[in-house]
Amino acid sequence: MHAYRSHNCAALRAENVGESVRLSGWVHRKRDHGGVLFVDLRDHYGITQMVADEDSPALPVLEGLKLESVVTIDGDVKARDAEAVNPNLPTGDIEVFARSVSVQSRAEELPLPVAGEQEYPEDIRIKYRYIDLRRETMHRNIMLRSQVITSLRRRMTEQGFTEFQTPILAASSPEGARDFLVPSRMHPGTFYALPQAPQMFKQLLMVAGFDKYFQIAPCFRDEDLRADRSLEFYQLDFEMSFVTQEDVFNALEPVLAGCFEEFSGGKSVTPAGEFPRIPYKEAMLKYGTDKPDLRNPILISDVSRHFEKSGFGIFEKIVGSGGVVRAIPAPGTNEKSRKFFDEMNSWAQGEGFSGLGYVTRKQGEFGGPIAKNHTPERMQEIYDELGLGENDGLFFAAGKESLAAKLAGAARTRVAEQLELIEQDCFKFCWIVDFPMFEYDEDLKKIDFSHNPFSMPQGEMEALESKDPLDILAWQYDIVCNGYELSSGAIRNHRPDIMYKAFEIAGYSKEDVDTNFSGMIEAFKLGAPPHGGSAPGIDRIVMLLADEPNIREVIAFPMNQKGEDLMMGAPTPVSMKQLRELHIRTVEPPKSA
RNA sequence: GCGGGUGUAGCUCAGUUGGUUAGAGUAUCGGCCUGUCACGCCGAGGGUCGCGGGUUCGAGUCCCGUCACUCGCGCCA
């Protein structure tokens, strides 16, 4: 017989009754009745009940073990009496009578229990992650992650994509997020950068003629964390040659829709080929964000026109000075108290906005100061235009367009949450398309790239030469699911002349481009195919599929919100010897007074 | 950097208007228990109420500061 097990802890059934077996696992729970002791033995696969009584030498050994000790038990499979069958356990028809036990590892008292699904403080969970990962939900999440990655990989391969590896020690690039730097021992004073994404490498693989690339790519960005953001994360990074935006969409939609259908547990998924496409500008208007949650039925409208002349002076003033008024319907709020509306306003102020106006409507009767000053008749015009009914309230976000849109978007989400309008049990995908190529940077008082500088502008060179830069759109697209940005992608700019021109508009010289992007610009001068791709975030995909509120629940060994690994202690100081070898001297920041 | 929330036993939590010696469940330890499956029963140990300061006759409770964790803003290919 095998040294540790003849079966795993989920294997035994009624047909095994009478067999002599050997099982190994963790002591999940114990029920000690004095003369008879039950042990739930757990391994990766499941749980089997072990039983020992006074006839068995295993009894005193098992009695003395703390939970989570690891044991190997020799015993006999016995059928349970009809009334003792446990229908909640796949192995519940049988139990194993323990003849002997050998203790593989004696556990001390645990910092957090494994059995049960109680919530525990996250810092303790992360510090003792190997314990936390034994728990059913975490164990399942990590297995789901593996299965999702396997599925994505298979779907990509079946579409003719080839998996590549690209360097982890790469060159720092001035664009985008802050880099993680790695000092070079061999070249004093110089640094590698961990890739924020394998962006240039995958484009160079296209230049190299590989046609369809993908990778489960680790990415590193030294920015502050969020529930859906980690310092290190993984993307399904892919790139294709000789493609239009349409081809990229057709490649990715079946992969994502198929993967979500496979693991969604019956939740509905936007079918491949039917992902709505929403221009960026429309998204900012109707949803107040470039990552709209389409499960939320509320649509924002611009009602600035109605307030050009209004008894409600604040809005008239805002519109008169170039601002906008956006309306967020709150359907069926006739029964809602004034408190509901006032609390929305104080919430908006708490978020740093000047405030959120509102109109109430109860059985056709308008209420609130805006309706009174603007007059009910003209309010009715707005309601007619928006198609609102006689019991629908309306919130107003007013101000500079970018701020008003942002407030309206946040209010749209909050109203839907408060009114429980967000559709459950579904994954709604959409593309956000037609991102602007450039935007005006208020701080630097100059035009800059709004997203990826390597995207091809729509209209190519002609657009760059003839249009107002702020009107130029890019072949740049995001994929969004339930309000989470899953990926960003683009048809790339593979033409050096267009590249130089685009950078020129953003205020960079030919020399700047040649210096900072020498590898890529050189490559593009030596025969580059048109190409494009995208890179869905794998952690976020698994988070959505696992129905978890944050990304750490689907990462085996996550960092906390301050980027610390509480289990291994990273980041740590290093020895003087190590620093000397790297030609590095540290300077502590001054203690602020 | 900024704002919100949380912080009481190993873990999950309660703790009234500021008032006696800070409680419960669970875990741990001891005892009992031969059919449980969150076994049950009896008992015990276990506390810098995050930390520091203040107000008060008296602070877990009120005030100020600070730390930790977390959510968001800024930031983010």
Side-chain angles (χ1 to χ4, degrees), chain A residues 117-184:
Chain A
E117 284 293 311
Q118 184 101 51
E119 302 250 10
Y120 304 103
E122 203 175 8
D123 43 350
I124 295 174
R125 292 179 53 203
I126 293 178
K127 180 170 181 184
Y128 299 99
R129 194 58 155 186
Y130 40 86
I131 304 290
D132 192 37
L133 289 169
R134 291 179 193 166
R135 299 167 65 211
E136 190 179 353
T137 302
M138 281 307 296
H139 211 78
R140 188 170 58 231
N141 284 356
I142 299 304
M143 288 304 291
L144 172 67
R145 182 188 178 100
S146 174
Q147 289 156 3
V148 165
I149 289 172
T150 301
S151 170
L152 292 171
R153 190 172 259 138
R154 174 178 61 78
R155 290 169 194 278
M156 294 303 284
T157 305
E158 282 173 3
Q159 275 202 64
F161 284 87
T162 310
E163 187 167 6
F164 291 80
Q165 286 76 50
T166 51
I168 300 299
L169 295 173
S172 180
S173 135
E175 283 300 318
R178 197 175 293 115
D179 282 323
F180 277 101
L181 298 176
V182 180
S184 163

Side-chain angles (χ1 to χ4, degrees), chain A residues 295-537:
Chain A
R295 297 173 305 164
N296 178 346
I298 296 174
L299 292 179
I300 301 163
S301 298
D302 189 288
V303 292
S304 309
R305 185 176 64 79
H306 293 269
F307 290 96
E308 281 166 4
K309 287 214 161 43
S310 169
F312 194 66
I314 304 171
F315 282 9
E316 187 177 318
K317 205 167 169 185
I318 286 170
V319 173
S321 60
V324 300
V325 180
R326 297 280 158 88
I328 307 101
T333 43
N334 53 312
E335 299 295 332
K336 287 284 174 187
S337 65
R338 173 164 179 176
K339 191 173 158 212
F340 167 77
F341 291 92
D342 283 341
E343 277 181 355
M344 282 295 295
N345 182 49
S346 43
W347 159 80
Q349 289 172 339
E351 294 287 302
F353 298 97
S354 52
L356 191 66
Y358 63 81
V359 163
T360 62
R361 203 177 193 202
K362 300 165 192 282
Q363 285 73 47
E365 196 74 25
F366 288 109
I370 297 179
K372 183 180 280 181
N373 289 300
H374 187 65
T375 77
E377 293 70 31
R378 293 160 75 187
M379 196 54 72
Q380 183 67 49
E381 286 177 32
I382 296 178
Y383 267 60
D384 289 344
E385 182 175 308
L386 303 189
L388 297 178
E390 59 180 22
N391 287 319
D392 298 336
L394 194 59
F395 287 98
F396 295 96
K400 228 181 75 180
E401 177 166 2
S402 58
L403 275 176
K406 196 173 169 187
L407 170 57
R412 170 181 177 265
T413 301
R414 188 168 172 89
V415 168
E417 282 169 359
Q418 301 271 308
L419 300 179
E420 296 181 354
L421 298 177
I422 297 179
E423 198 181 327
Q424 299 298 305
D425 300 324
C426 60
F427 292 107
K428 294 208 165 177
F429 283 96
C430 62
W431 294 99
I432 307 300
V433 298
D434 297 341
F435 279 87
M437 186 78 196
F438 301 100
E439 66 189 7
Y440 188 75
D441 187 319
E442 295 287 351
D443 295 334
L444 300 174
K445 303 288 178 206
K446 70 181 266 290
I447 287 173
D448 205 351
F449 293 106
S450 72
H451 281 76
N452 189 325
F454 306 125
S455 301
M456 182 65 94
Q458 295 185 25
E460 305 193 0
M461 190 59 118
E462 194 194 327
L464 294 182
E465 285 175 336
S466 63
K467 295 181 84 168
D468 179 342
L470 296 178
D471 289 336
I472 298 171
L473 302 176
W475 292 115
Q476 165 99 35
Y477 37 82
D478 283 1
I479 204 157
V480 174
C481 180
N482 291 6
Y484 288 94
E485 179 192 314
L486 282 191
S487 78
S488 195
I491 298 299
R492 319 296 174 185
N493 183 349
H494 68 288
R495 292 257 308 266
D497 54 334
I498 302 178
M499 186 89 80
Y500 287 127
K501 182 68 187 171
F503 274 88
E504 182 192 318
I505 290 171
Y508 301 95
S509 67
K510 184 168 182 297
E511 288 67 38
D512 292 335
V513 179
D514 287 340
T515 308
N516 291 320
F517 310 106
S518 60
M520 200 155 70
I521 200 82
E522 278 304 304
F524 288 170
K525 292 173 181 171
L526 300 171
H531 60 284
S534 186

Side-chain angles (χ1 to χ4, degrees), chain A residues 67-118:
Chain A
L67 296 183
E68 297 303 309
S69 294
V70 176
V71 293
T72 299
I73 292 175
D74 282 335
D76 304 311
V77 182
K78 296 195 165 169
R80 298 200 198 184
D81 293 341
E83 61 272 22
V85 163
N86 184 347
N88 300 318
L89 223 51
T91 60
D93 286 332
I94 58 93
E95 62 193 4
V96 173
F97 182 83
R99 277 185 281 101
S100 68
V101 57
S102 64
V103 179
Q104 306 292 358
S105 177
R106 199 173 285 275
E108 297 176 9
E109 190 176 354
L110 297 162
L112 56 92
V114 172
E117 284 293 311
Q118 184 101 51

Side-chain angles (χ1 to χ4, degrees), chain A residues 36-53:
Chain A
V36 61
L37 168 69
F38 300 97
V39 170
D40 289 338
L41 194 69
R42 183 195 75 241
D43 66 8
H44 172 74
Y45 306 95
I47 286 176
T48 300
Q49 173 167 286
M50 321 300 289
V51 59
D53 64 19

